[in-house]
Amino acid sequence: MEWESDNKELKAAGAEPLPAGRRGLRIHGWEIESRKLPILNSLHLQRWEKELQTSHMPEMVFGDNYLVLKHVNSGMKFFFNAFDALVGWKHEALPPVEVPAAAKWKFRSKPLQQVVLDYDYTFTTPYCGSETVERNVECESAIPDEGSSCIQWEDCKEKIDLVALASKEPILFYDEIILYEDELADNGISLLTVKVRVMPSGWFLLLRFWLRVDGVLMRLRDTRFHCLFGEHNKSVILRESCWRETTFQALSSKGYPSDLAAYSDPSIIAERLPIVMQKTQKLIIGVPSSYENHYLRVLSLCPSSEC
């Protein structure tokens, strides 16, 4: 069921829906928009394979889905899409996970042949979102032409306050978008999703890659964004990345169950998976002055003595 906003709550928070035909809202200088469409057809998949220089793609690629969060005055934009995530997969190029059944799997590119698994068939990606800066240009695509960014994040020790986020506050907008999915020939799941929640105080986003190779490995890569609205359309953003990974054998040695049914929900089992990488970064977005010719003014403030 699609989320339906409450007009009274939107008005009370100083927000408004996007124009007809667009899903999302405007609030405190931000435009937040999502789109969900069917999976790519074979013609589009072939184009993507050519651009990515690969003959392998996830079973279901939602290439026209996206989430965009744009700070209108500065032109700063964060966006999430399947293509950029697969670029990350291609560049990371992890070795294939060793699993006996994989040698007999049939893949879309060669459905009648046994293939050699010489690539990362799990489509694991280090993707933590895309970003760019536009100069007075309205957002029309999830993948901007300029493809460049001058946004500078700074490492810090602050953490996103998940307890505070759990407090009761009106939800003005919510959506969950699937970017791609693969069931690993019925031997597990590889899934990349992005969720967004907008409240009167700010917005929260979770980009999650979830992998379970049945009986072998689990991998969880989460990137969370929390933006707090300030006065005069100023925003403070924390971005927290946390990668977790372990084997079924390691879990079993700690007394955890080996039944696959116990590992269907990554949110429930996340704490069982050891952390292999974690970092937090901070960004403060100010409002450009009129004499700055509408150029971006990004203050990445997080001195080591204060974070």
Side-chain angles (χ1 to χ4, degrees):
M1 180 180 297
E2 294 290 343
W3 173 263
E4 294 293 338
S5 299
D6 186 299
N7 289 331
K8 290 183 179 180
E9 291 181 343
L10 287 177
K11 186 176 181 179
E16 62 177 355
L18 293 179
R22 298 172 64 191
R23 178 170 171 78
L25 80 169
R26 294 190 178 106
I27 182 170
H28 289 280
W30 287 90
E31 280 193 359
I32 300 171
E33 180 178 7
S34 64
R35 185 173 75 176
K36 293 190 285 190
L37 292 173
I39 62 174
L40 294 183
N41 59 34
S42 58
L43 183 62
H44 284 111
L45 281 175
Q46 289 174 9
R47 179 170 65 85
W48 279 37
E49 288 176 350
K50 183 178 180 180
E51 293 179 6
L52 292 167
Q53 297 184 337
T54 183
S55 59
H56 309 290
M57 297 288 283
E59 290 174 339
M60 293 177 284
V61 180
F62 295 86
D64 294 317
N65 287 4
Y66 63 69
L67 173 65
V68 178
L69 305 100
K70 179 180 177 181
H71 189 259
V72 179
N73 286 342
S74 69
M76 181 182 300
K77 182 166 68 174
F78 305 98
F79 51 103
F80 303 82
N81 61 82
F83 185 85
D84 288 354
L86 288 171
V87 169
W89 158 75
K90 189 68 164 44
H91 286 170
E92 188 174 23
L94 293 176
V97 178
E98 293 292 335
V99 52
K104 300 178 181 178
W105 290 356
K106 305 293 191 296
F107 287 82
R108 182 186 59 80
S109 58
K110 298 180 180 180
L112 301 179
Q113 301 179 33
Q114 180 170 308
V115 297
V116 177
L117 294 177
D118 56 356
Y119 69 101
D120 176 21
Y121 61 83
T122 70
F123 300 101
T124 298
T125 178
Y127 185 60
C128 61
S130 308
E131 55 192 37
T132 192
V133 178
E134 296 180 338
R135 306 291 189 227
N136 300 319
V137 177
E138 287 295 321
C139 169
E140 296 180 356
S141 170
I143 310 177
D145 293 332
E146 60 265 45
S148 62
S149 170
C150 60
I151 299 172
Q152 299 295 322
W153 293 87
E154 294 291 336
D155 292 341
C156 70
K157 296 180 181 179
E158 295 180 52
K159 299 294 182 182
I160 295 174
D161 190 344
L162 298 179
V163 175
L165 280 170
S167 64
K168 291 185 178 180
E169 188 178 6
I171 298 177
L172 307 176
F173 179 71
Y174 172 84
D175 208 352
E176 178 177 4
I177 302 103
I178 299 175
L179 299 180
Y180 61 75
E181 182 175 1
D182 197 304
E183 294 184 351
L184 308 181
D186 295 326
N187 284 269
I189 183 71
S190 172
L191 177 66
L192 182 66
T193 62
V194 59
K195 300 179 184 180
V196 65
R197 172 162 50 105
V198 184
M199 299 79 66
S201 64
W203 52 262
F204 176 70
L205 180 152
L206 171 61
L207 175 70
R208 167 167 285 175
F209 174 79
W210 164 237
L211 171 70
R212 190 191 73 241
V213 182
D214 291 345
V216 181
L217 175 74
M218 282 182 286
R219 181 178 289 153
L220 185 64
R221 293 184 172 184
D222 285 346
T223 301
R224 292 175 170 86
F225 290 70
H226 184 210
C227 173
L228 279 174
F229 301 140
E231 296 181 355
H232 308 297
N233 290 344
K234 176 182 176 181
S235 294
V236 180
I237 304 175
L238 287 179
R239 179 173 68 182
E240 186 176 302
S241 298
C242 183
W243 294 4
R244 298 173 179 268
E245 182 173 325
T246 195
T247 64
F248 274 77
Q249 183 178 6
L251 287 173
S252 179
S253 67
K254 295 180 180 179
Y256 290 119
S258 57
D259 183 7
L260 294 178
Y263 302 103
S264 59
D265 188 342
S267 297
I268 296 176
I269 66 168
E271 295 303 319
R272 298 182 184 178
L273 310 183
I275 294 174
V276 296
M277 189 282 290
Q278 188 171 28
K279 67 178 179 180
T280 305
Q281 297 170 301
K282 186 176 183 178
L283 192 67
I284 298 180
I285 308 174
V287 181
S289 302
S290 58
Y291 58 82
E292 290 181 289
N293 297 320
H294 303 288
Y295 276 83
L296 175 68
R297 179 172 174 255
V298 181
L299 305 179
S300 299
L301 301 178
C302 190
S304 59
S305 60
E306 299 179 4
C307 290

